[in-house]
Amino acid sequence: MMRFILLTCLMVLGISFTIRAQEVTVKGTVTDEKNLPIPGVSISVSNLPGLGAITDGEGKYSIKMPAYQTLVFSYVGYEKKEVLVKEQRVVNVTLKESDASVLNEVVVTATGAEKR
């Protein structure tokens, strides 16, 4: 009888870990503030090196990942964005242009450098 109870408890624990660690496929589109798709955005799963994806020419992506993990969206010239994925299967993201990416044009003249 004790063995039966112990086996039952172990089975319940095993099932709960299996449900928690199941993989899900998350899809979505990455756009900028003007609602234009951004191709080539790097998408990675936080704390899981080697697991990631890149958006296609239309800004769309698909990634298979464990549930309850954080997706990290990054692209040169834009602020990095992190999204916690729980039960959702579609995650659309809008990236904001980074203030650091705004370049001031500099012209070199005979009298020195000037901002244009």
Side-chain angles (χ1 to χ4, degrees):
M1 184 65 173
M2 185 64 149
R3 186 179 283 177
F4 175 75
I5 293 172
L6 183 61
L7 284 173
T8 305
C9 289
L10 289 174
M11 285 178 40
V12 169
L13 278 173
I15 291 171
S16 67
F17 284 125
T18 303
I19 291 171
R20 185 123 183 139
Q22 72 181 359
E23 284 195 342
V24 295
T25 300
V26 178
K27 297 179 181 185
T29 305
V30 181
T31 57
D32 62 9
E33 294 173 304
K34 297 174 186 166
N35 207 27
L36 296 172
I38 307 174
V41 175
S42 174
I43 302 143
S44 60
V45 180
S46 182
N47 299 325
L48 292 176
L51 185 57
I54 297 176
T55 57
D56 65 10
E58 297 174 354
K60 296 182 181 185
Y61 71 93
S62 176
I63 186 170
K64 194 169 188 173
M65 60 179 276
Y68 297 94
Q69 296 290 325
T70 301
L71 282 178
V72 181
F73 297 83
S74 59
Y75 190 68
V76 175
Y78 288 83
E79 293 179 2
K80 185 178 0 176
K81 187 162 191 173
E82 297 184 4
V83 178
L84 176 62
V85 176
K86 294 180 184 177
E87 300 297 323
Q88 66 266 46
R89 299 298 176 257
V90 176
V91 177
N92 295 320
V93 173
T94 300
L95 293 182
K96 182 181 175 187
E97 193 170 338
S98 174
D99 293 332
S101 70
V102 178
L103 299 175
N104 293 322
E105 191 172 335
V106 176
V107 178
V108 177
T109 63
T111 57
E114 299 176 8
K115 283 188 180 180
R116 187 179 251 189

